[in-house]
Amino acid sequence: MKSIKLPGYLKLLLKRIWDDSNPVSIFLYGSMSRNDFVEGSDYEIGVIYEEDKRWTRQRLRDLHSFENVKIYPFVKEELLRGEIDTPFPKLIYLHGLLHDSLILYGQKLEDIIKVTKISKDDLLEAVGFCLGRAYSAVVSSRQKDWIAVRDNFTKSSLYGFQILIFLKTGKLVFSYKEIEEKAGNLIEVEYRDLFNHVMQVRKNDAAIETSLLYKNISFLNKSILKAIRKF
């Protein structure tokens, strides 16, 4: 196993999964693998199986009771075809797995995941996903579910900034640190207050301003979607 600073309980859990379920690979991804996590971030674990040996997400979930550990099963044959069964923008998601993941057991992801160049259709899929999450933040605010508001607001906006960076520079970045560093000078003046607020909220340095939930939707529609249509 690669030497990574994981808590003991997680190391024991992953060893059990490796020994008992015989996967192709186990990897850490998301903010923990990028080292740009904040307080409350989850450990996101991917487990790749051959199609006829796949364990379900529920079966993996039944192995533990840790609220900060999220384990997702993937199918090797689908990844080899560049496919994935996820609500996230598929190709950008696969690029992110390749870019950020840390192998804990088994095969390297470069030998399994196949990706192609990002197209206009991929960007449209991505902004549609962002808009869905942005609207979910508005609905959750009406229900006073501030945990869901924070998650959907920050991520929909950050992924919008990610698309903006790609449109302006041709580079796909994934860490929140890179997004913060590169997006600031690319954002229109009208949306800089949104950008600054999202960064503060993600770091738990500010309470959510509900008016900016709507401005986030405008940013995605009027800035990002408009730019994609010209791409």
Side-chain angles (χ1 to χ4, degrees):
M1 181 174 177
K2 186 176 179 179
S3 179
I4 297 171
K5 291 182 179 180
L6 296 177
Y9 66 84
L10 182 54
K11 290 182 180 180
L12 291 172
L13 173 61
L14 298 179
K15 181 67 165 59
R16 180 182 178 187
I17 292 171
W18 178 254
D19 291 341
D20 292 355
S21 70
N22 193 32
V24 173
S25 182
I26 299 178
F27 59 93
L28 175 72
Y29 67 105
S31 61
M32 288 293 185
S33 68
R34 295 190 303 262
N35 196 32
D36 66 352
F37 57 89
V38 294
E39 183 179 355
S41 292
D42 295 322
Y43 288 95
E44 295 178 278
I45 304 295
V47 186
I48 301 176
Y49 293 99
E50 293 178 351
E51 192 164 16
D52 59 348
K53 298 178 181 178
R54 178 178 182 260
W55 280 30
T56 64
R57 182 174 176 180
Q58 185 58 53
R59 189 174 180 183
L60 290 166
R61 184 69 182 86
D62 289 342
L63 294 177
H64 71 94
S65 58
F66 309 121
E67 292 300 323
N68 67 332
V69 177
K70 310 300 181 187
I71 305 177
Y72 304 92
F74 296 86
V75 177
K76 179 180 179 179
E77 289 83 352
E78 292 179 352
L79 295 173
L80 286 169
R81 297 192 297 266
E83 299 174 358
I84 190 170
D85 185 12
T86 179
F88 294 95
K90 295 175 179 56
L91 188 56
I92 293 177
Y93 187 81
L94 288 174
H95 274 275
L97 291 183
L98 275 177
H99 186 270
D100 292 329
S101 299
L102 296 174
I103 294 296
L104 305 176
Y105 289 95
Q107 292 184 24
K108 296 179 180 179
L109 295 191
E110 306 93 271
D111 299 330
I112 301 173
I113 297 177
K114 305 302 177 186
V115 296
T116 56
K117 289 181 63 176
I118 302 296
S119 70
K120 184 175 183 176
D121 286 343
D122 297 314
L123 296 174
L124 288 170
E125 179 186 18
V127 75
F129 178 76
C130 290
L131 282 164
R133 294 199 75 163
Y135 178 65
S136 292
V138 172
V139 173
S140 296
S141 72
R142 296 168 183 165
Q143 300 166 345
K144 310 300 182 184
D145 182 355
W146 298 110
I147 293 175
V149 174
R150 181 181 180 276
D151 185 57
N152 285 310
F153 172 56
T154 56
K155 289 183 179 176
S156 63
S157 193
L158 284 164
Y159 293 149
F161 300 141
Q162 178 193 46
I163 298 170
L164 176 68
I165 293 167
F166 178 79
L167 290 169
K168 297 288 188 179
T169 69
K171 183 179 180 182
L172 199 56
V173 301
F174 296 95
S175 78
Y176 298 129
K177 290 179 182 177
E178 280 189 287
I179 290 173
E180 184 173 12
E181 289 170 0
K182 295 180 182 300
N185 294 327
L186 302 175
I187 297 171
E188 299 168 35
V189 174
E190 181 181 359
Y191 299 112
R192 285 182 186 166
D193 60 335
L194 170 67
F195 174 76
N196 293 330
H197 185 62
V198 167
M199 293 304 169
Q200 290 176 333
V201 170
R202 183 177 183 272
K203 297 172 185 176
N204 293 313
D205 290 337
I208 295 169
E209 294 182 23
T210 54
S211 63
L212 292 179
L213 301 180
Y214 298 93
K215 193 164 191 177
N216 186 35
I217 293 174
S218 296
F219 163 67
L220 294 168
N221 270 322
K222 297 180 179 181
S223 181
I224 304 303
L225 184 56
K226 186 177 178 180
I228 291 173
R229 287 175 173 156
K230 295 177 180 179
F231 180 71

